[in-house]
Amino acid sequence: MMTTKVMVFDLDGTLYEDTHHFEYFAKQLSKRLTNAHGFMNQYYEAVEEKHTLKVGTVYDRENDRILIQKEGRVLEAFQWDGTPLLPVEEYYPTPITFDFRTMQSIGDLWGVPIAIGRHFGLSSVEINEAFLETRRYMMSDEFVMSPVGGLADALEELAKTKKLVLMTNSPQVDSERIVEKLGLKGLFTYAIFEAKKPVKTEERLRTIASHFGVETAEMMSVGDNWINEINPARKLGCSTIFIDVHQIGDASSADVVVHQVSELVASLQSI
């Protein structure tokens, strides 16, 4: 295995464990609906994994369906109410691809309220407005974050011998504020914001490799969203650490699999 020279980190769900902003986001979405109560009920069911929609599934926006897939091949398909669609091959005879229009991967908790919002009829504009409101809240003093013990020290030690990169789908201003809140300011020598993962993950990783003059095999991708950060990186030969909070994968999902950000610290210390 080649020596890792560049480490690429996701932000949300990767560098902090706080989750209370997801409920705030859901409530901002609900304010834009006449059936706010029904929306929030389904949100809580999904978070508690009592709904067919959950982290690890895929939302077929065009058909309002929930899918279970592996490497693009649909294994199971359900109507929104949980009714199975059989035989699944008749509905999805070819592999699906992920984009920002038709197929939404629910790779983390951001995706849950977004998919439910789309089911309830919210537009992309309304969802983005609620998202930006949530990010403004996260920038404010009202949003108190709990830095993961030992993470800043581990990253500071790694920065002595490797280049650390931040790559997130979130906007720059609030992402930089969150990094500052976490005590990680100045540790990342390169950053990509609004990265459009997973559609552009491979392209972004190649850009990073070119920027630092390294092979992709000399890079490591660290993230909590397998489709966004892990699978595309593995295709390019990068080593990977998957923070599998929702336990949707297994030991083969990445080079290293942990289940909490706090567990990530020990893995980083051993690199």
Side-chain angles (χ1 to χ4, degrees):
M1 181 180 291
M2 299 182 76
T3 301
T4 298
K5 296 180 179 179
V6 178
M7 300 183 67
V8 183
F9 291 85
D10 174 49
L11 176 57
D12 301 303
T14 298
L15 298 180
Y16 63 91
E17 293 182 319
D18 303 270
T19 58
H20 49 294
H21 53 289
F22 295 121
E23 183 174 10
Y24 183 94
F25 179 38
K27 288 180 177 178
Q28 300 314 303
L29 292 169
S30 73
K31 291 177 181 178
R32 291 162 166 79
L33 293 164
T34 54
N35 188 9
H37 182 70
F39 171 90
M40 290 305 299
N41 279 346
Q42 293 206 26
Y43 168 74
Y44 291 128
E45 286 177 0
V47 169
E48 294 167 8
E49 298 193 350
K50 297 176 181 177
H51 196 288
T52 309
L53 182 84
K54 57 178 68 71
V55 175
T57 61
V58 172
Y59 177 55
D60 177 349
R61 178 181 170 186
E62 287 189 336
N63 298 295
D64 196 35
R65 296 170 182 162
I66 301 164
L67 314 177
I68 296 174
Q69 62 84 40
K70 184 173 183 179
E71 296 181 0
R73 185 169 65 89
V74 177
L75 305 177
E76 298 179 69
F78 304 89
Q79 295 178 359
W80 186 265
D81 65 4
T83 303
L85 296 170
L86 298 170
V88 69
E89 294 83 5
E90 288 190 7
Y91 294 91
Y92 298 93
T94 58
I96 61 173
T97 56
F98 301 105
D99 53 35
F100 294 108
R101 299 177 303 279
T102 58
M103 294 292 176
Q104 177 194 342
S105 167
I106 315 298
D108 54 37
L109 284 173
W110 285 111
V112 171
I114 290 174
I116 298 173
R118 293 195 187 284
H119 169 74
F120 274 78
L122 288 177
S123 68
S124 296
V125 171
E126 291 171 314
I127 290 170
N128 190 56
E129 287 173 351
F131 173 73
L132 293 177
E133 286 178 11
T134 304
R135 300 303 293 193
R136 284 192 290 271
Y137 161 66
M138 295 175 73
M139 288 173 62
S140 72
D141 293 336
E142 183 183 354
F143 181 65
V144 179
M145 305 188 74
S146 303
V148 175
L151 180 59
D153 289 340
L155 291 177
E156 188 173 350
E157 192 63 27
L158 284 170
K160 294 177 181 178
T161 57
K162 308 178 191 308
K163 300 298 183 182
L164 306 187
V165 175
L166 183 70
M167 183 164 70
T168 174
N169 279 348
S170 295
Q172 180 173 352
V173 175
D174 51 270
S175 296
E176 289 179 341
R177 176 69 178 124
I178 290 170
V179 167
E180 184 178 356
K181 282 188 175 188
L182 295 171
L184 306 178
K185 184 177 180 180
L187 293 178
F188 300 98
T189 57
Y190 189 79
I192 297 176
F193 305 97
E194 300 184 74
K196 291 183 167 41
K197 299 181 285 185
V199 175
K200 293 196 173 184
T201 303
E202 290 187 41
E203 177 185 331
R204 305 300 193 199
L205 291 172
R206 289 192 185 96
T207 297
I208 293 167
S210 176
H211 176 81
F212 289 106
V214 300
E215 301 293 328
T216 52
E218 297 174 297
M219 294 168 50
M220 174 179 284
S221 179
V222 183
D224 69 309
N225 189 317
W226 192 83
I227 287 176
N228 280 8
E229 292 113 25
I230 307 303
N231 191 44
R234 297 182 89 182
K235 290 178 181 178
L236 294 180
C238 304
S239 54
T240 53
I241 299 179
F242 178 34
I243 307 168
D244 189 12
V245 176
H246 302 281
Q247 301 190 36
I248 61 175
D250 54 36
S252 67
S253 298
D255 295 293
V256 177
V257 178
V258 298
H259 298 295
Q260 299 292 336
V261 180
S262 53
E263 295 177 22
L264 174 64
V265 176
S267 296
L268 295 178
Q269 290 171 336
S270 66
I271 295 173

